[in-house]
Amino acid sequence: AAGEQDDELRQGEEDELLEFARGLDFDRYIGDVEVQTVMERLRRRIADLEREVAIEDLRNADADTRAALRAKLEQMGITEASLLNETRSGTQDEESAALNAARALLQEEDEMQAVHSAKSV
Protein backbone atom coordinates (compact mmCIF):
# COMPACT_ATOMS: atom_id res chain seq x y z
CA ALA A 1 0.00 0.00 0.00
CA ALA A 2 2.81 2.42 0.90
CA GLY A 3 4.68 1.51 -2.29
CA GLU A 4 1.58 2.19 -4.37
CA GLN A 5 1.14 5.61 -2.73
CA ASP A 6 4.77 6.47 -3.46
CA ASP A 7 4.33 5.42 -7.09
CA GLU A 8 1.13 7.47 -7.41
CA LEU A 9 2.81 10.52 -5.85
CA ARG A 10 5.83 10.16 -8.14
CA GLN A 11 3.57 9.73 -11.18
CA GLY A 12 1.62 12.85 -10.17
CA GLU A 13 4.83 14.87 -9.86
CA GLU A 14 6.03 13.63 -13.24
CA ASP A 15 2.70 14.54 -14.84
CA GLU A 16 2.87 18.04 -13.32
CA LEU A 17 6.41 18.53 -14.60
CA LEU A 18 5.48 17.35 -18.09
CA GLU A 19 2.45 19.66 -18.16
CA PHE A 20 4.64 22.57 -17.04
CA ALA A 21 7.20 21.80 -19.77
CA ARG A 22 4.48 21.55 -22.45
CA GLY A 23 3.10 24.95 -21.53
CA LEU A 24 6.45 26.69 -21.18
CA ASP A 25 7.29 29.40 -23.70
CA PHE A 26 11.01 28.66 -24.18
CA ASP A 27 11.55 31.61 -26.51
CA ARG A 28 10.35 33.95 -23.78
CA TYR A 29 12.90 32.70 -21.23
CA ILE A 30 15.91 31.56 -23.26
CA GLY A 31 17.33 35.10 -23.36
CA ASP A 32 17.17 35.42 -19.58
CA VAL A 33 20.60 35.83 -17.96
CA GLU A 34 19.88 33.24 -15.28
CA VAL A 35 18.71 30.70 -17.87
CA GLN A 36 21.81 31.37 -19.97
CA THR A 37 24.00 30.93 -16.88
CA VAL A 38 22.38 27.60 -16.07
CA MET A 39 22.72 26.49 -19.69
CA GLU A 40 26.42 27.39 -19.68
CA ARG A 41 26.91 25.40 -16.47
CA LEU A 42 25.17 22.44 -18.10
CA ARG A 43 27.45 22.71 -21.16
CA ARG A 44 30.54 22.79 -18.95
CA ARG A 45 29.33 19.83 -16.88
CA ILE A 46 28.62 17.83 -20.01
CA ALA A 47 32.09 18.67 -21.33
CA ASP A 48 33.61 17.59 -17.98
CA LEU A 49 31.72 14.30 -18.08
CA GLU A 50 32.79 13.66 -21.68
CA ARG A 51 36.40 14.39 -20.72
CA GLU A 52 36.17 11.96 -17.78
CA VAL A 53 34.80 9.27 -20.10
CA ALA A 54 37.63 9.90 -22.57
CA ILE A 55 40.23 9.61 -19.79
CA GLU A 56 38.68 6.38 -18.57
CA ASP A 57 38.72 5.03 -22.13
CA LEU A 58 42.44 5.88 -22.37
CA ARG A 59 43.12 4.10 -19.09
CA ASN A 60 41.28 1.04 -20.32
CA ALA A 61 43.20 1.13 -23.61
CA ASP A 62 46.49 1.40 -21.68
CA ALA A 63 45.50 -1.61 -19.57
CA ASP A 64 44.72 -3.52 -22.77
CA THR A 65 48.12 -2.53 -24.18
CA ARG A 66 49.87 -3.78 -21.04
CA ALA A 67 47.95 -7.06 -21.23
CA ALA A 68 48.98 -7.49 -24.87
CA LEU A 69 52.58 -6.72 -23.93
CA ARG A 70 52.56 -9.34 -21.20
CA ALA A 71 51.10 -11.90 -23.62
CA LYS A 72 53.81 -11.19 -26.21
CA LEU A 73 56.56 -11.40 -23.63
CA GLU A 74 55.16 -14.72 -22.41
CA GLN A 75 55.11 -15.96 -26.01
CA MET A 76 58.78 -15.09 -26.11
CA GLY A 77 59.25 -17.16 -22.95
CA ILE A 78 59.65 -14.17 -20.67
CA THR A 79 57.27 -13.61 -17.78
CA GLU A 80 56.88 -10.55 -15.61
CA ALA A 81 58.13 -12.56 -12.63
CA SER A 82 61.23 -13.67 -14.50
CA LEU A 83 61.94 -10.09 -15.50
CA LEU A 84 61.68 -9.01 -11.88
CA ASN A 85 63.85 -11.90 -10.69
CA GLU A 86 66.44 -11.27 -13.38
CA THR A 87 66.63 -7.59 -12.52
CA ARG A 88 66.94 -8.36 -8.82
CA SER A 89 69.55 -11.05 -9.32
CA GLY A 90 71.83 -8.53 -10.91
CA THR A 91 73.10 -11.06 -13.43
CA GLN A 92 74.28 -8.93 -16.32
CA ASP A 93 73.58 -11.52 -19.04
CA GLU A 94 70.02 -12.21 -17.88
CA GLU A 95 69.27 -8.52 -17.47
CA SER A 96 70.65 -7.82 -20.93
CA ALA A 97 68.50 -10.58 -22.40
CA ALA A 98 65.40 -9.12 -20.79
CA LEU A 99 66.21 -5.62 -22.00
CA ASN A 100 66.93 -6.93 -25.50
CA ALA A 101 63.59 -8.74 -25.54
CA ALA A 102 61.83 -5.59 -24.38
CA ARG A 103 63.57 -3.52 -27.04
CA ALA A 104 62.66 -6.06 -29.73
CA LEU A 105 59.05 -5.96 -28.60
CA LEU A 106 59.01 -2.18 -28.69
CA GLN A 107 60.40 -2.19 -32.22
CA GLU A 108 57.52 -4.43 -33.30
CA GLU A 109 54.83 -2.28 -31.70
CA ASP A 110 54.65 1.36 -32.82
CA GLU A 111 51.88 2.20 -30.34
CA MET A 112 53.95 0.95 -27.45
CA GLN A 113 56.92 3.07 -28.47
CA ALA A 114 54.77 6.15 -27.99
CA VAL A 115 53.90 5.12 -24.43
CA HIS A 116 56.66 2.89 -23.05
CA SER A 117 60.42 2.78 -22.87
CA ALA A 118 62.52 -0.39 -22.86
CA LYS A 119 62.96 0.06 -19.13
CA SER A 120 59.20 0.30 -18.46
CA VAL A 121 58.55 -2.80 -20.56
Side-chain angles (χ1 to χ4, degrees), residues 22-23 26 28 34 38 40 49 52 61 66 92-94 96 115 117:
R22 285 186 191 116
F26 288 102
R28 180 174 171 202
E34 288 181 34
V38 169
E40 183 56 32
L49 291 172
E52 289 173 16
R66 285 192 307 270
Q92 191 66 22
D93 293 337
E94 291 174 350
S96 294
V115 178
S117 68

Side-chain angles (χ1 to χ4, degrees), residues 47-97:
D48 290 345
L49 291 172
E50 288 173 342
R51 193 171 20 261
E52 289 173 16
V53 167
I55 289 170
E56 186 64 28
D57 289 346
L58 286 173
R59 286 183 184 140
N60 290 337
D62 191 42
D64 292 342
T65 300
R66 285 192 307 270
L69 170 64
R70 284 186 186 102
K72 285 192 178 204
L73 286 172
E74 286 178 12
Q75 286 175 350
M76 297 169 74
I78 300 171
T79 64
E80 189 174 354
S82 69
L83 285 174
L84 290 172
N85 288 336
E86 289 170 6
T87 302
R88 288 183 187 142
S89 71
T91 305
Q92 191 66 22
D93 293 337
E94 291 174 350
E95 189 172 353
S96 294

